[in-house]
Amino acid sequence: MENLFLSALKGDDHKGAPMWFMRQAGRYMNSYREVRKEYTMEQICHSPELSSRIAYDAARYLQTDAAIIFSDIMIPLENLGYNVKYVENTGPIPEKTGSTTDQFVSYSGMAVRNFKANYPDIPVIGFVGGPLTLASYIIASGPDGELKKTKEALIRDEDKTIELLGELTDVVIKDVKAQISSGADAIQIFDSWLGFLDHNYAELAVKKTTRKIVDAISKSKVKSIYFSTGTSGMVDALIRSGADFLSLDWRCSLKEVSETFGSIGLQGNLDPSVLALSPEKAVEKGIQIAREMRDVNKFIFNLGHGILPETKQENVKMLVRKIRDVV
Ligand code: 1CP
């Protein structure tokens, strides 16, 4: 039987909802915490073997329809001379230390290649960060909360900020190409913080960055998924990225978006807090989403953002099983 995730990507008829979760390999999982006792985040992201094994272990434990390469959106920025440190309970801190090198290195590309060689039975999702989201960590030298500093940069010096976005877009496109030529089954663009911008700035960011990345992806047969949060009021702008799928958060009804915008593929959108706090309510709401989207071939069940670290791993596994049983 064809894999549900691959069927949904193609828009083929299938029965049941394909499922995977953002951050499905992460601190909520016992086996990941064990690996992290031995290796730092930086070491894992620089090891194609660990990146692919952690990705596979999570997908196999949860019985999801796809794995996502374990790495981080900031890693490709090393090619621009940034050294990225991961600080516990904070996030990535980029520091400009070196200069741009001629030789582009894609650790995610190597991890995808390793995954395809060792675990050919399960589709693997490659990913990159959206340049606006990447820029926010550079501009703020770390997480930028509600994008206060990033917005200030855009408002005070739009030309210079657009120039930075252009530079980041070029790096992201190189990384995407490496992951595609290594065999990625789909590419997700993580633009987590786009929704903090106003509609016009978001539109500008999509035009200057995402649109170009999607164009590069669509030259291959690989499908693109564009993820952001807080953007259900700007779906028209997201669609103009040209992405095959939009991953939306819990601030909208996916069914209504589907009825309004027609043929666009959709992914999402259970609130990760519900899954962390009440497995029963997560099952109820998850089944409701999957039922409402049953007739949409291009639908992938996911959360609206990543699994929270305090989530019990058994509850994520149970959610997958219960949705499979009834939808
Ligand atoms: O201590 C640890 O183990 C580090 C925690 C951690 C993990 C597990 C970080 C630091 N990154 C990751 C993995 C990661 N990051 C994946 C793995 C694949 C998966 O299973 O989904 C992916 C796809 C990302 C992408 C990522 N990194 C995004 C986009 C998705 C999202 O969550 O919004 C963002 C914004 C980052 C930055 C980042 N890296 C790490 C943290 C804690 C953060 C967020 C910091 C912030 O709040 O701004």
Side-chain angles (χ1 to χ4, degrees):
M1 208 175 63
E2 168 89 287
N3 169 281
L4 285 178
F5 178 74
L6 297 178
S7 292
L9 287 181
K10 286 189 272 189
D12 289 348
D13 283 338
H14 57 273
K15 201 180 163 304
M19 287 177 259
W20 72 278
F21 300 100
M22 292 180 266
R23 293 268 168 100
Q24 67 184 19
R27 274 169 300 171
Y28 81 100
M29 196 171 269
N30 302 333
S31 61
Y32 175 76
R33 285 199 305 274
E34 286 303 311
V35 177
R36 282 283 276 103
K37 281 183 191 158
E38 253 185 278
Y39 302 98
T40 63
M41 179 73 187
E42 290 85 341
Q43 286 171 325
I44 297 170
C45 295
H46 290 102
S47 159
E49 291 76 24
L50 288 172
S51 291
S52 78
R53 179 159 61 79
I54 291 171
Y56 181 74
D57 286 347
R60 207 182 56 159
Y61 169 75
L62 296 173
Q63 291 287 298
T64 50
D65 301 290
I68 180 161
I69 280 303
F70 187 90
S71 185
D72 191 69
I73 54 170
M74 301 299 289
I75 299 294
L77 303 190
E78 292 170 353
N79 289 289
L80 287 177
Y82 289 93
N83 183 15
V84 185
K85 291 224 151 40
Y86 289 86
V87 179
E88 193 90 35
N89 301 320
T90 302
I93 312 283
E95 219 184 293
K96 186 114 187 178
T97 53
S99 52
T100 314
T101 52
D102 293 337
Q103 176 102 32
F104 187 88
V105 182
S106 171
Y107 287 99
S108 301
M110 289 188 262
V112 169
R113 195 169 294 279
N114 184 289
F115 192 100
K116 295 307 271 185
N118 289 303
Y119 316 109
D121 53 317
I122 172 160
V124 65
I125 302 164
F127 72 89
V128 286
L132 185 272
T133 295
L134 295 173
S136 74
Y137 291 93
I138 291 176
I139 290 166
S141 301
D144 189 20
E146 298 191 351
L147 289 206
K148 200 159 180 275
K149 293 188 175 131
T150 308
K151 289 207 267 191
E152 190 180 330
L154 256 176
I155 293 162
R156 290 200 199 279
D157 200 344
E158 186 172 312
D159 289 350
K160 196 170 144 225
T161 310
I162 295 291
E163 200 181 306
L164 172 63
L165 291 178
E167 230 185 309
L168 297 171
T169 302
D170 292 344
V171 168
V172 162
I173 288 175
K174 284 185 192 158
D175 203 49
V176 158
K177 285 182 177 165
Q179 295 183 54
I180 289 175
S181 65
S182 302
D185 291 286
I187 298 286
Q188 178 150 320
I189 304 163
F190 282 95
D191 217 353
S192 312
W193 315 131
L194 184 78
F196 286 114
L197 299 187
D198 74 28
H199 186 272
N200 307 106
Y201 278 136
E203 186 104 26
L204 182 67
V206 167
K207 187 172 143 212
K208 297 278 183 188
T209 69
T210 323
R211 172 93 232 173
K212 292 178 180 161
I213 301 162
V214 168
D215 281 350
I217 299 170
S218 53
K219 291 205 174 83
S220 67
K221 284 209 175 104
V222 173
K223 302 291 184 199
S224 53
I225 307 171
Y226 187 30
F227 162 78
S228 53
T229 67
T231 48
S232 36
M234 326 171 169
V235 173
D236 47 354
L238 303 178
I239 287 179
R240 283 195 278 279
S241 70
D244 299 298
F245 281 72
L246 301 180
S247 190
L248 299 174
D249 73 12
W250 52 89
R251 292 172 177 91
C252 64
S253 147
L254 281 190
K255 181 159 184 277
E256 282 174 16
V257 173
S258 175
E259 284 165 358
T260 309
F261 293 95
S263 63
I264 185 81
L266 291 170
Q267 175 176 276
N269 71 343
L270 182 68
D271 185 345
S273 314
V274 177
L275 181 55
L277 293 168
S278 166
E280 295 78 22
K281 288 200 171 125
V283 166
E284 194 186 305
K285 284 172 184 277
I287 288 173
Q288 187 192 340
I289 294 167
R291 280 204 170 127
E292 284 179 356
M293 295 300 283
R294 189 180 252 162
D295 297 330
V296 178
N297 283 342
K298 286 197 274 176
F299 165 67
I300 299 163
F301 182 82
N302 205 313
L303 304 181
H305 203 165
I307 296 175
L308 296 168
E310 63 269 29
T311 309
K312 286 205 163 60
Q313 63 175 34
E314 300 77 29
N315 293 345
V316 187
K317 193 179 167 82
M318 178 182 77
L319 177 65
V320 173
R321 207 179 53 237
K322 296 270 187 188
I323 292 179
R324 285 226 199 281
D325 283 350
V326 300
V327 181

